[in-house]
Amino acid sequence: MTDARVPILMYHSIATSPNDATRELSVAPEAFAEQMALIGDLGLTPVNTADLAARWRSGKPLPGRPVLITFDDGYEGVHRHALPVLAKHGFAATLFVSTGWLRGPYDTGGGLDAMLDWNQVRELAGADVEIGGHSHTHPQLDQIPDDTLRSELILCKEIISDELGTVPSSFAYPYGYSSRRVRETVRETGYAQALAVSNGLARRRQGPYALTRLTVRRSTGIEEFQRLVEGRAIARTFATDRALTKGYAVVRRARQVRRKAIRSRV
């Protein structure tokens, strides 16, 4: 089982009436409840990110048919709608928060919809939801300079530590974007593992800082969801996403080259 292929599900907003900015990557509460019931019916075992990474790092066997349930950004619906369903089934999960998007003293005003406050985050943490980092202001980490990158990672980690009393060990890259420089900095700033996107199944050989996830959208029907958690037809399901990602990667690399050239002339 040490080289098992594990589905890591990536959710964002769980909302009845999401706004335009979050609609595509939101999931209706009824759909989320149906998806969690299916996970239970299939006999899958939800684990959190730190547990999976620790087992792979030590060589300890994985539980039977593991699956990860993760949420990005910190939308209020994770507490309102997802938490009761997770608690009903006794499922572990991981929430990756952008600390500058949450309501409270560190709020930078960047949140895209109704966001969690820190009391809600503490309630989630007390209900078997691992709290991980997702940067402070949710930038494209591979597009920012070294000092800003380190600040985003460290500030996020320090705020979570101060608010929860525990140091986050897991991280998720905003937008799924990373690079060797970003991954090395994530490791250097004390995170033990990190999740990307890539829309594939996670494997130990990907390394602890490039574990892949599967996007769950508002348009994800229950049949497609079952294929995802069973690891079937993944490439076909995300064929369009991968084509768009490859094209955009070329554009983003060109931008990086231009920025480096500009900095070298300064």
Side-chain angles (χ1 to χ4, degrees):
M1 287 291 288
T2 55
D3 198 36
R5 290 190 279 185
V6 178
I8 303 180
L9 305 172
M10 180 182 67
Y11 291 94
H12 287 78
S13 172
I14 309 296
T16 301
S17 301
N19 61 18
D20 290 343
T22 61
R23 180 172 300 278
E24 182 181 355
L25 288 177
S26 71
V27 170
E30 298 79 11
F32 180 77
E34 184 179 22
Q35 292 163 3
M36 296 302 102
L38 180 61
I39 285 176
D41 291 343
L42 293 174
L44 305 181
T45 306
V47 297
N48 66 35
T49 305
D51 186 22
L52 175 72
R55 287 172 182 267
W56 268 342
R57 190 176 289 112
S58 66
K60 184 179 178 182
L62 300 180
R65 304 191 69 189
V67 61
L68 272 67
I69 303 161
T70 72
F71 304 89
D72 282 9
D73 302 344
Y75 297 101
E76 193 268 343
V78 176
H79 182 274
R80 179 189 298 269
H81 300 299
L83 179 58
V85 177
L86 295 170
K88 172 185 174 182
H89 292 283
F91 287 171
T94 304
L95 167 66
F96 295 102
V97 296
S98 292
T99 48
W101 281 17
L102 303 187
R103 289 182 289 140
Y106 319 103
D107 191 350
T108 62
L112 300 180
D113 206 340
M115 307 304 292
L116 294 163
D117 63 31
W118 284 100
N119 285 332
Q120 292 171 321
V121 175
R122 278 187 280 273
E123 288 183 22
L124 285 157
D128 204 20
V129 177
E130 176 192 2
I131 308 300
H134 198 45
S135 79
H136 185 58
T137 65
H138 203 279
Q140 297 180 25
L141 296 178
D142 60 341
Q143 302 292 310
I144 59 179
D146 291 349
D147 56 345
T148 308
L149 170 61
R150 293 187 68 86
S151 176
E152 283 282 340
L153 299 175
I154 293 171
L155 183 56
C156 176
K157 185 177 180 182
E158 290 179 344
I159 290 173
I160 294 173
S161 299
D162 289 345
E163 289 292 331
L164 304 185
T166 56
V167 180
S169 65
S170 303
F171 188 83
Y173 305 110
Y175 308 102
Y177 299 149
S178 70
S179 63
R180 179 179 294 181
R181 175 181 69 101
V182 171
R183 292 189 291 273
E184 288 177 351
T185 308
V186 167
R187 177 181 58 79
E188 290 167 0
T189 50
Y191 295 96
Q193 52 273 332
L195 303 184
V197 183
S198 300
N199 287 316
L201 298 173
R203 304 184 72 170
R204 182 184 184 186
R205 67 185 187 189
Q206 292 166 352
Y209 295 98
L211 296 174
T212 59
R213 292 189 285 176
L214 301 163
T215 306
V216 185
R217 300 182 171 92
R218 205 165 192 84
S219 60
T220 303
I222 194 63
E223 293 84 6
E224 179 181 324
F225 183 82
Q226 181 168 349
R227 291 196 298 271
L228 296 183
V229 296
E230 291 182 336
R232 296 187 286 113
I234 300 295
R236 184 168 72 247
T237 300
F238 293 106
T240 300
D241 298 74
R242 288 178 174 173
L244 292 172
T245 298
K246 287 180 180 178
Y248 191 39
V250 173
V251 174
R252 298 177 73 255
R253 281 196 295 271
R255 289 175 180 171
Q256 286 179 300
V257 170
R258 284 199 298 272
R259 272 193 291 271
K260 289 179 180 178
I262 293 170
R263 285 199 295 268
S264 68
R265 291 198 297 266
V266 174

